[in-house]
Amino acid sequence: MHHLFSGLAARLKRKRWGWLISLFVFIVVSQAVAERFEFEEPQMGVPVRIVLHGDDPAAAERAAGAAFQRFKELNGIMSDYDSESEMSRLCSTSSEALERTGEAACIHVGDDLFAVLKESKRYSELSDGAFDITVAPVVRLWRRARRMHALPKPEQIVKAQELVGNEFWEIDEKTHSVR
């Protein structure tokens, strides 16, 4: 740390108050050494660790608590394991409309889900479909296979894959909706 301030002090010596400014900067930086705070909670099925630096343990705890709360909110919106999540409701509503009418419904979604879907669409297009959030039919098939301890039949895999593709969904920025 001495080298950091010796160069600054040398440049400021030519100035009338350089030594005083150098001393002030050194004192401020010396006092700003922050304490490390670490918090960990399971979120979205994995352990999440938050590391903060500061001088107020209560503020660090509040900040970590707010971050963990945001994780919970986002999980409640986007979890495909939670049948009550906004994402799960979107998928089931779309599937029901498609089965009933043969046409996908246009469904309004909240800001967080819309932002994720919009970026997902963009990355899918940028990657020529390598990134594809429509894989749920295939994922469900393999989750079921894991639970049943039996591989899916080839025709089941083909049927699930026919439902996957970026071309099967669209977003409408004006109405914040998904079809």
Side-chain angles (χ1 to χ4, degrees):
M1 191 182 301
H2 174 71
H3 295 300
L4 173 71
F5 294 107
S6 63
L8 177 63
R11 278 180 260 139
L12 293 175
K13 278 183 184 178
R14 295 182 203 120
K15 307 257 185 233
R16 186 172 162 190
W17 295 93
W19 65 271
L20 186 58
I21 293 171
S22 296
L23 179 62
F24 176 76
V25 169
F26 179 75
I27 291 170
V28 168
V29 171
S30 296
Q31 297 299 316
V33 175
E35 190 176 344
R36 177 184 167 105
F37 300 99
E38 206 168 311
F39 305 89
E40 188 168 326
E41 276 188 20
Q43 296 289 336
M44 299 179 178
V46 296
V48 172
R49 185 170 57 110
I50 297 174
V51 177
L52 303 170
H53 295 270
D55 59 358
D56 184 349
E61 193 166 332
R62 285 191 306 275
F68 287 132
Q69 182 58 39
R70 184 66 173 141
F71 272 101
K72 289 175 188 167
E73 289 170 12
L74 292 173
N75 189 57
I77 293 168
M78 296 178 218
S79 173
D80 68 334
Y81 285 96
D82 179 1
S83 62
E84 297 301 312
S85 75
E86 185 178 9
M87 176 67 85
S88 293
R89 290 191 317 267
L90 169 66
C91 292
S92 64
T93 303
S94 294
S95 295
E96 290 166 7
L98 194 56
E99 287 174 16
R100 229 180 22 257
T101 66
E103 194 173 309
C106 193
I107 301 164
H108 177 62
V109 296
D111 291 343
D112 289 323
L113 183 54
F114 187 81
V116 169
L117 293 174
K118 181 178 173 183
E119 285 301 300
S120 297
K121 188 73 154 172
R122 186 170 80 84
Y123 281 107
S124 182
E125 291 166 356
L126 287 172
S127 68
D128 291 325
F131 178 83
D132 189 340
I133 65 167
T134 68
V135 297
V138 176
V139 170
R140 280 194 297 268
L141 181 65
W142 284 100
R143 282 181 184 167
R144 184 176 184 280
R146 188 177 57 198
R147 277 193 316 273
M148 304 302 282
H149 303 287
L151 293 175
K153 296 177 182 166
E155 59 271 12
Q156 290 175 302
I157 296 171
V158 169
K159 186 177 178 182
Q161 288 175 327
E162 289 172 352
L163 300 172
V164 174
N166 195 39
E167 68 276 10
F168 294 125
W169 69 289
E170 57 190 37
I171 58 173
D172 184 338
E173 290 197 49
K174 292 178 185 172
T175 63
H176 256 229
S177 58
V178 182
R179 180 186 309 274

